[in-house]
Amino acid sequence: MTDNEHETGQPERRTPPRVIGTPLSDPLTGSLPEPLPGAETAGDDHDGDPAVPRAVPQDERKARKAEKIAALCFMLTFAALVAFLVAYVRFQVGGLSATGASHIALGGALTLALLALASGIVIWVRQIMPKYEMVQQRHPMASSADVRAEIAATFVSGAAESGIVKRRLLRRTLLLAAAPLGLAPLVLLRDLDSTGAPVAQLHKRLAHTVWGEKAKEGKPLRLVVEGTGQPIRAADFNSPGGILSVVPEGYEHDLNVLAKATVILIKFRPEEFKPGTNLNWTHDGIVAYSKICTHVGCPAALYEQTTHHILCPCHQSTFDAADGAKVVFGPAARPLPQLPIGVDEQGYLIALGDFPTPVGPSYWERGDAEARVRENGGHS
Amino acid sequence: MSDLRAVPKRIAGPATFLDERLGAGSFVKRNMRKIFPDHWSFLLGEIALYSFVILLLTGTFLTFWFKPSMGEIVYNGPYAPLKGVTMSEAYASSLKISFEVRGGLLIRQIHHWAALVFIGGMMAHALRVFFTGAYRKPRELNWLIGVVILSIALFEGLTGYSLPDDLLSGAGLRVTQGVVIGLPVVGTYLNFFLFGGEYPGEDVISRFYSIHILLLPGLILALVTAHLILMWVQKHTQFPGKGRTNRNVVGAPFYPAFMAKSGAFFLFTFAVIAGLGTFAQINPIWLYGPYSPADVSAGSQPDFYMAFLEGALRIMPAWEINLFGTAEAGTIPLSVVIPALVPLGLIVVGMALYPFIERWITGDNREHHLADRPRNNPHRTSIGMAVIAFYGVLWLFGGNDLISANFQVDLYTTTWAGRILVFAAPALAYAITYRICLGLQRSDAAVLSHGVESGVIKRLPNGGYVEVHSPPAEDIEAHLRGREAIPVLADGGDVPPKGLRGPIGRLRLRMSKAYGGEKIPIANGHPHDGDEHPDMLPDGQNRALTR
């Protein structure tokens, strides 16, 4: 082989007819074979464009081989579906491992059955059915001018027959009658809110939690550990840097209460506090903040002891627990409200009142509650 | 073995019965051999369609056991770690489907995977339609239907993964609630009406259930049907090529080849989703435990199609305004409202309006049935890539905590990177894509005018070496030539036409000139002087080569 081959040999064999890597959209590079009768009867629209290749019958030997492969695929599907039925009966479910075995057996058999069936059909289409392309003509989507004119005439005469244009009273009373029809379903949706409170008062419910309601009744709630329900003796919660997730006693399983009243309790050394924290509301270096993030309400559950940062794992809002839980970083715009706490006669931690500001995500009627508190001298 | 000569009686009988009652013969005659053009990218929508069918089948199965109730019970099933734990009936019944119903876990996982493939398939399909300009007249309405289906599907997914009431789905629901209640003016009302009271209330699961299994799937089914009918009536677009014009459609007939291939493709889609449902665990709800608003696990992530909203929430700075100060009204939490509404609104509204904006800018009111190659409309392609970059950055930073943890980067740095990239990446994507498109147009022009590199080196009498170029094959050439310049509005000389006066009209004209036209002309002849490639084989000879 020399570089001379091009001059003497057959250049067409070494000259690629297409850009390397481009798709073979035209399966025919040879002469056009005789079309199948089926392709010729291809609809009325066939325009016999000579540029479009006609049917290519598959080589019978190859087709016979493909038939065997496709049949094998179908047999495989059959076997896999039998296996599916057997697995359904054989494998019982219950614990983790039993369910796992049943799951893999059923799923594996189903996957195999579907895969084999699909493969069989594809082999059938590609290697047994003749390959050809057909052409159909498109027509503009728009109807002809005649048709449009006829429709317009019919529309006008129909409207005239009905008298809706001429009889103004009829038309206007009909519109009047129809207008409230749209309102009826809206009214029906009013009871979607099952609190029964007047609409204008709804937002007031958002501003208070069970801590404050009970404190006001003179029965302040104890703080209990989330999960165990143990009340917390202030003297026992004494290692600085400690953190507890805390809920109101008696409401440990009330999700509606927990969604607002869950609190994190952090023990500080007194010198660690910064001015943002209201020291009157702490007890012996223990401070309580709402756990419900002021961004969109996830529980701000992570605490970094060395930096005193509370982190919400949902959107990474970061609050400085030593400084009134003010926002250090992230999308939350407001500090976590601080809960005023103290101890009862037995030394257990209790809530002395409500959070000064509404907990959780902001809402339209919230207003600048922090400024309101400042104006009122620290009380809500 | 004998060949079929006439319709067998078993088929002819029922067919006659139906035709005598429905007169369906003429419809069948017209449509049995309907032509479907072939291209791999035309199958993306089919993936979405088949996933939707799988969703309907598996979803129906799941409803047989699922109890959409937030009533509390104590778990006493076979999954030992949760024995004795108080949980909602919804979560308990989801556990029952997973552990006590044979094939229940399989169907649940297939359902979840199919949802991901459904939405992913729709996104890929929408991108294909966008980049090839297949939304242009007469297909704008079908494009709009598609945009609505995609939007509904996002909510369908959201309501779906909230149903099991595990800790992860509850975290998603909580974020949803935080967004709903933050909406200006109506937020509080919407919250109370949706949840039947304060969050979480006792109603939201059963309400989401009827929305998820009836309302939204019904809407999607109706819209998908309309989508398919319109596609059928308008006939599918095709790429330019030999014998393919704007007036015809070239491809395989519906019966038998396309029908069989589509059936096989459905089975392939189902097989892949079943395989994923079998071997790729998804949403192992038993590991998360029952929902409590007091708990969350770190690294909580929504399904992929919601992650761009999650990312927007995460990289948004902490902005909040109180319009009326301390008064009990006027709070707008921008750090919630902007990320929740702006990206989704930009993408959905932008998609819906794009065909009409493009038509307004180009003044092109013709029907288009030939799909554009993306390079041939560089501005459109660049806009699409910019949107992908925008979406992609938001999606990526939906996992900013995971990025920080895995790559040992400070979380604040990661978040700031997201804040910058969300603006920088789309601009960069636009510029790069535009250059790539022009480069590809140039390479097309080069193939047409210089031919294809043959790999044959020829020594010239003067001692120089050149590579022999041969003209491209006919079908390639037709594919490359099957493009036309994007129309530009005529500025009408000294007196601009009525629509182009005033500031908006002038802007329209400027945009039209930038958007339209032919960036790299494909010359019919040689663009340079004819002697650059003296080795190009004469035309007659090369035609023989391609045979």
Side-chain angles (χ1 to χ4, degrees), chain B residues 239-420:
Chain B
F239 277 107
K242 204 169 108 187
R244 300 182 195 163
T245 69
N246 207 31
R247 301 293 311 272
N248 71 6
V249 48
V250 180
F254 181 73
Y255 172 83
F258 186 81
M259 214 170 85
K261 271 199 229 175
S262 290
F265 196 51
F266 169 72
L267 293 168
F268 268 128
T269 309
F270 201 169
V272 168
I273 292 174
L276 285 168
T278 307
F279 301 110
Q281 186 180 66
I282 188 164
N283 204 18
I285 50 164
W286 56 91
L287 297 180
Y288 305 143
Y291 178 60
S292 157
D295 297 307
V296 67
S297 36
S300 293
Q301 300 278 335
D303 276 352
F304 89 90
Y305 46 84
M306 281 291 163
F308 79 110
L309 294 176
E310 176 81 358
L313 280 168
R314 289 182 182 209
I315 63 174
M316 182 72 196
W319 297 345
E320 177 164 322
I321 50 175
N322 290 294
L323 293 178
F324 313 121
T326 56
E328 285 193 341
T331 300
I332 303 178
L334 294 175
S335 61
V336 177
V337 175
I338 288 179
L341 298 183
V342 172
L344 184 66
L346 275 179
I347 293 174
V348 170
V349 175
M351 280 172 82
L353 292 183
Y354 197 86
F356 305 99
I357 295 175
E358 187 181 63
R359 206 170 60 128
W360 183 68
I361 289 176
T362 59
D364 187 357
N365 202 28
R366 300 167 300 170
E367 284 190 13
H368 290 277
H369 302 289
L370 277 181
D372 276 334
R373 300 170 75 214
R375 68 189 63 174
N376 290 336
N377 192 330
H379 279 292
R380 176 205 293 150
T381 305
S382 304
I383 289 170
M385 288 307 293
V387 172
I388 291 179
F390 175 68
Y391 179 92
V393 166
L394 292 179
W395 178 84
L396 188 65
F397 285 87
N400 64 346
D401 51 342
L402 299 178
I403 296 173
S404 289
N406 287 326
F407 296 100
Q408 312 284 323
V409 187
D410 180 52
L411 180 66
Y412 302 166
T413 314
T414 311
T415 307
W416 267 106
R419 288 172 182 175
I420 294 164

Side-chain angles (χ1 to χ4, degrees), chain A:
Chain A
M1 292 294 110
T2 66
D3 57 353
N4 216 19
E5 196 194 40
H6 172 59
E7 302 290 347
T8 59
Q10 293 175 313
E12 52 268 49
R13 299 234 322 257
R14 292 193 50 183
T15 312
R18 60 185 62 246
V19 183
I20 292 159
T22 53
L24 247 161
S25 62
D26 179 358
L28 292 180
T29 47
S31 59
L32 294 174
E34 281 298 305
L36 270 196
E40 201 46 63
T41 58
D44 312 343
D45 287 341
H46 195 290
D47 69 342
D49 185 343
V52 175
R54 307 289 173 74
V56 196
Q58 301 278 0
D59 176 41
E60 183 54 30
R61 261 193 15 241
K62 277 187 191 161
R64 261 202 295 275
K65 196 175 156 204
E67 185 183 0
K68 282 177 192 151
I69 300 175
L72 194 69
C73 288
F74 295 155
M75 290 304 293
L76 195 60
T77 302
F78 177 76
L81 287 173
V82 170
F84 183 89
L85 296 179
V86 171
Y88 188 84
V89 178
R90 275 299 301 275
F91 292 98
Q92 294 303 314
V93 288
L96 267 183
S97 58
T99 304
S102 161
H103 171 75
I104 294 287
L106 290 174
L110 180 66
T111 306
L112 185 64
L114 293 167
L115 208 57
L117 191 57
S119 308
I121 296 175
V122 166
I123 290 168
W124 177 13
V125 173
R126 295 183 70 97
Q127 304 200 6
I128 298 175
M129 289 191 192
K131 283 197 185 97
Y132 55 90
E133 284 188 324
M134 284 169 38
V135 181
Q136 281 175 350
Q137 296 305 308
R138 292 182 191 272
H139 310 286
M141 293 311 298
S143 331
S144 68
D146 299 349
V147 172
R148 287 196 203 186
E150 197 181 324
I151 292 174
T154 313
F155 174 81
V156 169
S157 72
E161 273 174 33
S162 75
I164 190 140
V165 180
K166 199 169 108 191
R167 302 182 192 282
R168 287 213 315 234
L169 182 66
L170 189 72
R171 190 170 74 235
R172 289 181 179 175
T173 48
L174 178 69
L175 283 176
L176 185 71
L181 209 56
L183 276 175
L186 281 181
V187 171
L188 279 179
L189 291 178
R190 172 61 185 86
D191 279 350
L192 276 177
D193 164 40
S194 45
T195 60
V199 171
Q201 299 297 314
L202 286 178
H203 70 270
K204 304 241 185 244
R205 298 169 151 264
L206 297 170
H208 307 290
T209 68
V210 68
W211 296 113
E213 286 158 26
K214 294 292 165 185
K216 227 180 253 171
E217 291 166 22
K219 293 179 281 189
L221 288 171
R222 277 184 182 165
L223 281 64
V224 300
V225 179
E226 186 207 342
T228 67
Q230 286 291 318
I232 305 148
R233 205 186 288 274
D236 296 342
F237 187 56
N238 55 10
S239 60
I243 176 170
L244 278 178
S245 183
V246 164
V247 296
E249 185 173 32
Y251 296 90
E252 293 90 341
H253 296 293
D254 188 333
L255 298 190
N256 291 327
V257 168
L258 296 188
K260 275 161 64 179
T262 307
V263 159
I264 40 177
L265 211 58
I266 304 171
K267 168 81 178 174
F268 280 96
R269 289 188 194 87
E271 68 272 17
E272 288 171 332
F273 281 121
K274 292 179 200 161
T277 312
N278 186 338
L279 292 178
N280 295 332
W281 291 354
T282 63
H283 177 81
D284 192 24
I286 301 173
V287 63
Y289 294 113
S290 165
K291 193 180 177 182
I292 308 304
C293 183
T294 52
H295 178 220
V296 285
C298 282
L302 303 177
Y303 181 63
E304 195 177 42
Q305 205 177 325
T306 47
T307 56
H308 311 307
H309 284 178
I310 301 168
L311 180 81
C312 175
C314 284
H315 305 105
Q316 287 79 48
S317 295
T318 313
F319 306 90
D320 186 353
D323 198 8
K326 72 166 198 210
V327 181
V328 181
F329 191 79
R334 294 173 289 100
L336 299 169
Q338 187 184 345
L339 184 72
I341 54 170
V343 289
D344 60 13
E345 306 88 68
Q346 287 126 343
Y348 289 110
L349 289 173
I350 53 166
L352 298 178
D354 210 340
F355 299 101
T357 57
V359 300
S362 297
Y363 50 93
W364 176 254
E365 296 88 350
R366 189 179 186 282
D368 194 346
E370 281 71 21
R372 263 201 310 274
V373 172
R374 281 194 298 275
E375 282 170 15
N376 297 340
H379 298 283
S380 55

